Amino acid sequence: MSYVDDILNRVKQESPEEPEFVQAVTEVLDSLRNVIESDPRYKEAALLERLVEPERSVIFRVPWVDDKGDVHVNRGYRFQFNSAIGPYKGGLRFHPSVNLSIIKFLGFEQIFKNSLTTLPMGGGKGGANFDPKGKSDSEVMRFCQSFMTELQRHIGSDTDVPAGDIGVGGREIGYLFGQYKRLRNEWTGVLTGKGIPYGGSLARTEATGYGLSYFTEELLACRNDSYEGKVVDISGAGNVAIYAAEKVTELGGKVVTMSDSSGWIYDPNGVNLEVIKQLKEVERARISEYVNRVKGAEYHEGRGVWVIPCDIAHPCATQNELRIEDAKNLVANGCKIVAEGANMPTTYDATKYLMDNGVIFVPGKASNAGGVATSGLEMSQNSERLSWSVDEVDNRLKGIMKEIYHAADDAAAENGTPGNYMVGANIAGFKKVAEAMLAQGVC
């Protein structure tokens, strides 16, 4: 049995109730077979055994009181996966779906995503099975304060720097940061995604969506092509989806779909982003309201974004949202590129189907790394006690996304699999981490 197969079997046996984590490990290690099996140092140092096991796992209760005085208890998590190249870095997710498996898969993926940014950041992830939707500001504040009361023991600007994720936006980051500052009696860049008045970075809100578009723009440019005139399907209606749609439109593409947890819209004339921003960022309304404000648009309940013919697809909602039947629809309708904006939004069988049928597939660890890259830039600004302009941050972001594209492209070519960005991204991210781990000994 090969070293890779031995580790995959071990992960499956030890984590039978963690399907998302097993999926993430399988996708990464399968694509690294040639690299791993060709270098005996990895097995000798038990590198894969250490890579798939978090350096530290923290699970804790989060008691809080609602506006009626009733007490609730949620479960909080922080998985600090790998610090070989820098302090742990990764978001916090507040959503009812959060569980052990999802946080572990996100933390594992973060190792390679952060490595690809070229910035000195390790991989981590955290969150809670708390739903901020429908809660008052006071309830969210009390939850965040309780959550941070425990989390603050395990994080710090040189140890672990969390950020936002699904359910954790500017409001939540503000409450978390305030509680950390109060408990630790220090102002430090321990969280990213902060508000501009207290150390946040300009362009952070737009970063993941813009970065996705910059990556795809470079991919297209290297094929003497562009977004100009392309029809683009996007799922989701959060920060990533909104700002991916904004930049795609600016670059000449036409975004025709968006979605939320209730359903999706199709606007053949191109999605009106001002309406979307008003609905989702101001009113926090359902996307179904869009058709009441824009003539000619359609609303459909449930899933279905990927039935709309497109040139490029950007899944930007959540994990495993693009399934095998969706992949078949995209292929049948002539889609040429699927570049992920969310974390592992494409199932493993759908990924293979897309690639086997000639669709260029880009994994989120490469194409959605713009968010964590800009978080890294926020860390730099906090350390220097400086604030960079929008243009400076945006230019650095664009440069990083171009570097990520070429790192993945070059690694794929060197591996004998040109154009395979799944393989290329994983190799490029893995090698940097692996060399750092080997240099630091068994730890």
Side-chain angles (χ1 to χ4, degrees), residues 104-393:
K104 283 182 69 176
F105 114 67
L106 291 168
F108 182 73
E109 287 275 298
Q110 201 76 40
I111 301 170
F112 311 103
K113 181 190 299 186
N114 292 357
S115 175
L116 283 168
T117 68
T118 73
L119 301 173
M121 301 182 293
K125 205 75 176 183
N129 59 346
F130 169 78
D131 190 357
K133 289 183 179 178
K135 305 293 192 303
S136 70
D137 287 350
S138 295
E139 289 173 327
V140 172
M141 181 184 71
R142 288 192 289 271
F143 176 84
C144 288
Q145 290 175 339
S146 179
F147 183 88
M148 182 53 78
T149 298
E150 175 59 33
L151 185 65
Q152 56 90 21
R153 309 169 196 271
H154 312 287
I155 63 176
S157 57
D158 294 317
T159 304
D160 185 352
V161 183
D165 195 280
I166 294 172
V168 179
R171 174 183 61 171
E172 289 76 16
I173 290 292
Y175 294 148
L176 292 165
F177 182 78
Q179 183 72 348
Y180 182 90
K181 183 166 61 70
R182 178 168 64 173
L183 293 172
R184 300 293 286 264
N185 191 31
E186 62 183 28
W187 195 108
T188 177
V190 70
L191 288 161
T192 56
K194 299 185 293 298
I196 300 303
Y198 60 100
S201 175
L202 294 166
R204 176 59 187 90
T205 301
E206 300 90 342
T208 307
Y210 278 18
L212 168 63
S213 306
Y214 290 148
F215 184 103
T216 309
E217 180 188 28
E218 184 69 7
L219 185 156
L220 288 163
C222 289
R223 289 164 170 74
N224 297 314
D225 202 350
S226 72
Y227 270 115
E228 189 67 38
K230 300 291 191 299
V231 174
V232 181
D233 283 358
I234 289 181
S235 64
N239 279 348
V240 181
I242 287 172
Y243 291 102
E246 182 172 274
K247 185 57 67 172
V248 166
T249 303
E250 181 183 314
L251 294 170
K254 182 169 73 169
V255 176
V256 295
T257 66
M258 295 186 78
S259 66
D260 63 15
S261 58
S262 61
W264 57 282
I265 57 166
Y266 168 54
D267 190 338
N269 298 314
V271 170
N272 185 321
L273 284 171
E274 292 307 313
V275 173
I276 291 290
K277 287 182 179 182
Q278 177 65 27
L279 289 174
K280 305 307 289 188
E281 295 183 335
V282 179
E283 300 176 20
R284 299 189 181 187
R286 290 296 186 183
I287 204 165
S288 56
E289 178 62 24
Y290 181 89
V291 297
N292 295 325
R293 306 187 190 187
V294 178
K295 292 182 179 180
E298 301 174 9
Y299 171 73
H300 302 269
E301 290 189 354
R303 301 176 65 254
V305 163
W306 313 117
V307 302
I308 301 300
C310 65
D311 301 298
I312 300 171
H314 288 320
C316 297
T318 190
Q319 69 271 359
N320 290 331
E321 57 162 298
L322 199 163
R323 305 170 188 172
I324 184 65
E325 62 269 23
D326 303 314
K328 291 179 178 178
N329 282 328
L330 289 170
V331 169
N333 287 328
C335 179
K336 299 297 189 295
I337 299 171
V338 174
E340 297 182 327
N343 294 302
M344 204 172 72
T346 312
T347 62
Y348 197 23
D349 54 353
T351 298
K352 294 184 70 174
Y353 186 88
L354 290 167
M355 295 171 66
D356 289 345
N357 285 275
V359 176
I360 297 171
F361 178 81
V362 185
K365 64 172 62 67
S367 52
N368 84 354
V372 72
T374 306
S375 285
L377 299 180
E378 182 177 330
M379 291 167 65
S380 297
Q381 293 170 77
N382 290 168
S383 295
E384 296 176 324
R385 295 294 195 265
L386 295 175
S387 180
W388 301 338
S389 69
V390 171
D391 287 344
E392 186 172 3
V393 175

Side-chain angles (χ1 to χ4, degrees), residues 70-82:
D70 295 331
V71 177
H72 302 266
V73 178
N74 287 92
R75 180 173 292 176
Y77 302 88
R78 189 66 181 175
F79 283 87
Q80 298 170 332
F81 247 97
N82 192 289

